[in-house]
Every structure is written in C-alpha cells, then in structure tokens.
Amino acid sequence: MKKINLVRTAIILSSLLFFQITAVAAIQRDSIRLFVHDFCPYICQNPDGSFVGSAFDSVKYACDKMGIHMTLIRIPWKRGQLLVYRGEGDGFFAASRNNYRDNNAVRSTTIARQTWCWYTLKSSPITPASPDFKEVAKVGAFHGSNMLNWIKKEHFRVVGNPKTTESLVKMLLMKRLDAILASSQVMEKIIERDKLADRVNCSVYRDKPLKVYFSKKYIKEHPGFLEEFNMHVDNYMKQKFSE
C-alpha cells in the first residue's frame, strides 16, 4: 500500500512539475524583447513612445499572429547588438546581413527591402564613378552599421562614423566627407525634410535587405519560433508587395 501511495505521489509531483514547466514556457513564448535604433522610415519612435515604420510593421504583424507581446527598447545600435550576442536581449532589428552577425546570432527572413547608396555633393568633382574614388574619397557611414563594416572591409578611406545618418549628412554638407554610404529610404526622408534635392547626388551601390537577428539563446529556448515567425513575415511581405 505504501508503495502504491509513493507511486501516486511521484506521478502527481511529476504532473505538477510538467504543468509548471509548460506554464513558464508559455509565459516566455508570450513575450519578446527586441533592441532597435532610430532608423526612419524602417523604424521610428513617436513622441509618445510608440513605434511605426515598414520594418516595425512586418515584425509586429508576425508577433501579433503568434500571440507574442513585443517590447521594443531603443538603445545605441552597437550596444544593442552586443547585448543580444551575450544573450541579454532576445533580438535586434532592423539589420542587414553580415558574417559577424551570422556567427553570433540567428537571422530571420527579410522584414523590409533596403538599398545602399552613395551620396555626394553635386558641387563635388569626386563621384563614385571616378576611377580613384576608393583611394581618394573621404567617406563615412553611421556607427555600428553594416555599411560602416563594409566600407572598412573594402578598404575605403573611412574618416567619419557618427552615431546617426543625420550627423553624416551634416558632415557631407560641411565638406568634411566627400561621400557617405546610407540607406536610400532613410536618406530620402532627410533629403525631403531638409530640402537637399538640389545639393546632393545619389548613386545606387547595392541591395541589402533588412532582417531581425535573434539571440542564439532565445532560439534554442523556443524551438519552432523562427520557422513560424518567418512564415508570417513572408506572408506579410507577399501581401504588401502584391497590392
């Protein structure tokens, strides 16, 4: 009889433990914490603290479909990435692909389209078409960006890496830089806002679609999450670009 009671007790305790683990997993699955940066029009923070933007819309759509509450934390871009690599955050966006990010985190499907462009002053004799552009032009991109990593890797003369695209534009207008590498959609907003169309030239460089990078820890703890997230984002992108 004692044996039977012990077995029953063990079964009850095992069942309770199972339900506790399941409940904790459900709570964890119901929320995600993502680091972002000011990168309009992909992701922009309103004065009231809410977010909007094309990349934000893709991620929110997927999280809503999955019943996941998304918390966004605006943070210096470089720091946000490092925290995710350490497992101290669940992910960061909007980010284009590079090998370092791929080695330290797990990337999603494309959440927004992006094109990198060179921007130069119309009054400048130096252009990306110049045969000695890479050797002569003083160039820059914003701090922590894949664009900055790329131009360093390709051995351009990098002399500017401020924290924002707006600061890059100021450096270009002051002729401290001959050219800046920036996202075309981000620059279009700045050019329109500051009425710079008659002062700045744009030369398309390459397409670099944007992703979410999730921490390896988060993906390991949430099997099946990435596949479901990617499915919803892909459906959203198909709907968006078929309209």
Side-chain angles (χ1 to χ4, degrees):
M1 192 69 176
K2 285 183 180 179
K3 261 188 186 178
I4 293 170
N5 287 336
L6 286 171
V7 170
R8 283 177 180 170
T9 302
I11 291 171
I12 291 168
L13 289 173
S14 297
S15 298
L16 288 172
L17 181 61
F18 171 78
F19 286 120
Q20 285 176 343
I21 291 169
T22 304
V24 169
I27 291 169
Q28 290 175 339
R29 172 65 189 264
D30 286 348
S31 63
I32 191 167
R33 187 178 60 148
L34 303 173
F35 296 125
V36 299
H37 60 133
D38 188 13
F39 200 43
C40 283
Y42 297 109
I43 182 159
C44 329
Q45 188 169 24
N46 294 320
D48 65 0
S50 62
F51 290 89
V52 294
S54 57
F56 168 80
D57 289 343
S58 300
V59 177
K60 186 175 187 304
Y61 176 89
C63 287
D64 286 349
K65 286 289 184 181
M66 297 168 73
I68 294 174
H69 175 71
M70 178 174 66
T71 299
L72 301 186
I73 302 169
R74 185 175 167 183
I75 192 171
W77 190 223
K78 187 84 170 181
R79 193 197 318 164
Q81 294 172 66
L82 290 173
L83 289 173
V84 170
Y85 300 152
R86 294 173 190 159
E88 296 173 28
D90 299 327
F92 62 84
F93 77 98
S96 58
R97 195 200 77 77
N98 68 34
N99 291 336
Y100 187 79
R101 289 171 177 167
D102 282 350
N103 289 335
N104 290 278
V106 182
R107 63 183 154 93
S108 73
T109 190
T110 295
I111 61 170
R113 297 176 178 177
Q114 179 189 224
T115 302
W116 288 356
C117 293
W118 285 111
Y119 292 88
T120 55
L121 294 178
K122 290 188 175 182
S123 59
S124 174
I126 300 174
T127 73
S130 304
D132 57 352
F133 178 72
K134 182 182 283 191
E135 292 76 23
V136 172
K138 294 177 292 183
V139 305
F142 75 84
H143 185 68
S145 68
N146 196 16
M147 290 169 278
L148 182 62
N149 291 336
W150 179 260
I151 55 180
K152 285 181 176 179
K153 179 183 173 184
E154 294 297 306
H155 305 295
F156 284 89
R157 288 187 63 201
V158 181
V159 298
N161 63 339
K163 292 182 179 179
T164 65
T165 304
E166 284 83 356
S167 297
L168 270 177
V169 174
K170 288 178 183 177
M171 293 178 75
L172 179 68
L173 295 174
M174 294 170 64
K175 301 184 179 179
R176 291 171 59 191
L177 295 174
D178 298 310
I180 60 175
L181 187 62
S183 171
S184 62
Q185 287 195 332
V186 175
M187 280 296 294
E188 282 167 11
K189 290 287 184 183
I190 295 172
I191 288 169
E192 181 182 0
R193 182 194 68 198
D194 297 344
K195 298 179 172 54
L196 298 174
D198 61 341
R199 299 185 63 186
V200 176
N201 274 328
C202 169
S203 302
V204 173
Y205 186 46
R206 60 186 306 176
D207 288 329
K208 288 293 285 185
L210 295 168
K211 322 277 184 179
V212 182
Y213 271 90
F214 297 103
S215 75
K216 290 183 177 181
K217 177 183 175 184
Y218 186 86
I219 294 300
K220 183 179 180 181
E221 291 175 349
H222 299 83
F225 167 85
L226 186 63
E227 292 78 9
E228 188 177 352
F229 179 86
N230 285 344
M231 178 189 71
H232 289 304
V233 170
D234 287 342
N235 288 339
Y236 175 83
M237 295 293 285
K238 285 175 187 174
Q239 293 171 24
K240 180 177 179 180
F241 289 102
S242 64
E243 293 173 355

